[in-house]
Amino acid sequence: MKDYILALDQGTTSSRAILFGADGSIAGKAQQNFKQYYPQPGWVEHDPLEIWESERSVCAQALKESGAAGCVKGVGITNQRETTILWDRASGRPVYNAIVWQCRRTAGIADALKEKRGVSEMIAEKTGLLPDAYFSGTKLKWLLDNVPNARYRAERGELLFGTVETWLIWKLTGGKVHVTDYSNASRTMLFNIHTLTWDEELCKLMDIPMCLLPKPVSNSEVYGTVAEGIEGLEALAGVPICGAAGDQQAALFGQGCFERGEAKNTYGTGCFTLMNIGAKPVRSRAGLVTTVGWSIGGKTTYALEGSVFNAGSAIQWLRDELHMLGSAHECDLLAESVEDTGGVYLVPAFTGLGAPYWDMYARGCIVGITRGTTRAHIARAVLEAIAYQVTDLMTAMRQDAGCEIRVLRVDGGASVSDLMMQLQSDLLRIPVDRPEMVETTAFGAAALAGLSAGVWKDAAELRALRVSERIFEPLREQYACEEQYRGWKRAVSCAQGWIEA
């Protein structure tokens, strides 16, 4: 009888469940989109109950498809990070919608922190982050300050806070387990990445009652077991939930980047470049952040990270808001129909610019349009914009790392674009390695759970499961790529400064 690990991959726009065999093969999977809420410009919300119901539904579907429900040895969870949920401890009802990582409503809170003398330095030193609306701490403060009676109830111990993996673990265990893994905790701006504990000084700074916070735990251990009586998941009752990591750390692990200097980029709703920096955190001086990669068996691995807020979401924007595309794949087909963008640059700063700019007030723009500009040029400009943003991140990473990055491993939905992967290799002047099995984020969660459950014995066994599907090598002349990149930097300057703080 085969052993399987069930991975829950809860993303920004969809919930997914994938059943992995011990050989890394996929025995069953399911996916379901859920609604995005935009109550004001720059605000992004999700319904936590929709997240739970969609994840429960896809788990049931994947188990049914595989026929292996009785052979699941563990459950691993990976999630959209920073997204913030506040719920009633007794009823399990959220007190407000989840505030999504992309949401910029708390920019004013972040600005106020920056204005306090020495605070930015303290936050960077303790958390590896910088004051920004991106991280969970400012979102939690907003909820406590703006939801009626939330602060009063929080101080009485009636409410619980969690990022999405915390919420899912709590729901799966029938409300018995309130934990967060170290990688997700390190994205809150409340967590000391050196001591791996919540920081009392930071909580006081943001006026966060510590009784709200989940217990921090490692990324590969038994947190609890699936409760009985969950509709569609009856066969999982008693199965250990034993692995969790934020989606980008899970992808780094799933890509087998176990050694210092190994890096990956995930092309999803946003773009996230992470590099393993080993057992000691490195302070970024080039606009990146330092984060916990994972902690297993008492050994913690850290990573440098650069985050792009809008990447695949720009393709979705062309499809859903501008109706220029019938499908995401059509973006590739249109882009390939022209040799270049005709001088057009698109900066998708829909919710500000992330690393290395950290400009909460930048907004998207298109420059270089002429009467001859077609939708094909704009489609290509979107793909190029994604590659340019990753180049921004990698340039900063090379400055901080103190070691050369020899190859970039890639994953995520948009990594299927051969055109964009070739553009990326040309711009970076290094190989871009796309794996045969592109579900690396979900596999990372499965791998962490599988190590705890005994399905895999060590990192070497996991690394052996990774097979390259294609490696893209630089083809274009370097001078031409550098000239294009200079144009991109000019376009970014146009996107900055539209909205004053």
Side-chain angles (χ1 to χ4, degrees):
M1 185 179 292
K2 288 187 176 180
D3 292 339
Y4 295 94
I5 295 290
L6 178 63
L8 281 58
D9 183 357
Q10 205 296 302
T12 307
T13 58
S14 70
S15 292
R16 306 166 74 238
I18 303 179
L19 206 63
F20 289 95
D23 60 356
S25 63
I26 293 174
K29 64 179 177 179
Q31 179 170 349
Q32 183 177 318
N33 292 336
F34 56 88
K35 189 173 180 179
Q36 310 291 304
Y37 297 89
Y38 306 102
Q40 294 185 33
W43 290 30
V44 190
E45 296 178 0
H46 293 156
D47 181 342
L49 294 177
E50 286 183 20
I51 288 175
W52 162 243
E53 283 302 319
S54 60
E55 195 62 69
R56 183 198 59 76
S57 176
V58 293
C59 284
Q61 189 178 335
L63 289 169
K64 184 177 180 181
E65 176 186 311
S66 68
C71 305
V72 176
K73 299 301 179 183
V75 176
I77 299 174
T78 185
N79 58 288
Q80 52 165 316
R81 304 172 306 167
E82 297 94 22
T83 295
T84 299
I85 305 173
L86 189 63
W87 69 94
D88 184 285
R89 180 193 294 268
S91 70
R93 300 286 303 183
V95 303
Y96 189 84
N97 274 346
I99 302 181
V100 179
W101 60 272
Q102 297 166 309
C103 187
R104 310 309 290 172
R105 79 184 64 188
T106 59
I109 297 174
D111 284 342
L113 291 171
K114 291 176 186 176
E115 289 170 5
K116 293 182 179 181
R117 187 174 180 180
V119 164
S120 292
E121 177 65 23
M122 179 184 70
I123 289 173
E125 177 58 35
K126 289 187 173 188
T127 72
L129 310 177
L130 68 168
D132 192 86
Y134 177 29
F135 303 112
S136 308
T138 62
K139 302 178 195 300
L140 178 54
K141 177 174 172 54
W142 188 95
L143 287 168
L144 294 173
D145 290 344
N146 289 275
V147 175
N149 295 320
R151 184 169 294 284
Y152 172 75
R153 297 185 64 207
E155 290 170 350
R156 287 169 57 91
E158 296 176 10
L159 302 183
L160 298 176
F161 153 76
T163 43
V164 173
E165 95 294 351
T166 299
W167 169 244
L168 292 178
I169 292 170
W170 194 84
K171 294 294 284 185
L172 283 167
T173 59
K176 293 180 180 178
V177 179
H178 184 222
V179 298
T180 182
D181 71 89
Y182 293 149
S183 70
N184 275 292
S186 73
R187 312 297 298 183
T188 61
M189 220 164 68
L190 303 170
F191 186 74
N192 189 313
I193 62 172
H194 307 278
T195 62
L196 302 178
T197 58
W198 298 116
D199 191 275
E200 186 174 354
E201 186 177 12
L202 291 174
C203 289
K204 283 184 178 179
L205 178 68
M206 282 179 263
D207 204 12
I208 305 294
M210 295 186 75
C211 60
L212 277 173
L213 305 178
K215 177 185 176 183
V217 292
S218 80
N219 299 89
S220 184
E221 63 174 275
V222 176
Y223 313 128
T225 58
V226 178
E228 295 182 354
I230 300 176
E231 183 183 353
L233 306 185
E234 292 85 356
L236 288 182
V239 172
I241 305 163
C242 51
D247 51 9
Q248 305 314 317
Q249 289 96 330
L252 188 70
F253 197 81
Q255 284 275 25
C257 295
F258 303 137
E259 301 297 327
R260 182 176 178 272
E262 294 182 328
K264 72 90 197 174
N265 184 69
T266 296
Y267 298 83
T269 302
C271 269
F272 302 88
T273 305
L274 273 75
M275 184 181 71
N276 183 328
I277 55 173
K280 293 183 179 180
V282 173
R283 177 80 175 275
S284 174
R285 302 293 178 183
L288 303 177
V289 299
T290 307
T291 194
V292 174
W294 52 79
S295 185
I296 302 172
K299 295 182 178 180
T300 302
T301 297
Y302 294 90
L304 276 174
E305 175 174 340
S307 306
V308 167
F309 296 151
N310 290 280
S313 57
I315 299 173
Q316 293 169 340
W317 173 69
L318 291 183
R319 182 192 65 195
D320 299 340
E321 275 70 46
L322 299 190
H323 303 291
M324 289 176 56
L325 309 172
S327 66
H329 178 59
E330 192 179 337
C331 189
D332 247 36
L333 299 177
L334 273 174
E336 288 172 351
S337 71
V338 289
E339 291 185 2
D340 53 43
T341 67
V344 173
Y345 289 87
L346 186 147
V347 183
F350 305 135
T351 52
L353 288 169
Y357 306 102
W358 295 109
D359 186 342
M360 293 183 285
Y361 302 101
R363 287 297 178 265
C365 69
I366 305 175
V367 300
I369 293 176
T370 68
R371 183 63 181 81
T373 299
T374 68
R375 66 190 187 114
H377 291 115
I378 293 175
R380 189 175 180 107
V382 165
L383 295 186
E384 290 195 359
I386 297 170
Y388 289 136
Q389 290 180 103
V390 174
T391 302
D392 288 339
L393 300 181
M394 290 288 285
T395 300
M397 201 160 281
R398 284 165 165 164
Q399 293 173 21
D400 279 334
C403 61
E404 185 54 42
I405 302 169
R406 301 190 182 280
V407 63
L408 178 65
R409 295 179 180 180
V410 298
D411 54 53
S415 69
V416 300
S417 170
D418 289 352
L419 174 61
M420 189 165 64
M421 294 303 96
Q422 187 58 59
L423 286 167
Q424 195 69 82
S425 180
D426 290 339
L427 287 164
L428 294 176
R429 316 309 300 171
I430 60 173
V432 168
D433 181 347
R434 185 171 65 196
E436 199 170 84
M437 196 272 290
V438 296
E439 302 287 4
T440 52
T441 301
F443 181 70
L448 289 164
L451 287 173
S452 177
V455 174
W456 296 289
K457 63 180 180 180
D458 55 27
E461 189 174 356
L462 291 168
R463 186 192 288 271
L465 297 177
R466 188 190 186 279
V467 178
S468 297
E469 180 263 333
R470 182 172 173 182
I471 298 176
F472 297 83
E473 301 279 356
L475 295 178
R476 293 191 66 211
E477 294 288 345
Q478 185 170 351
Y479 77 88
C481 296
E482 290 174 348
E483 184 178 351
Q484 275 188 294
Y485 187 59
R486 284 193 292 271
W488 162 255
K489 300 297 276 189
R490 290 194 296 271
V492 168
S493 68
C494 293
Q496 294 181 290
W498 284 106
I499 301 175
E500 295 300 327

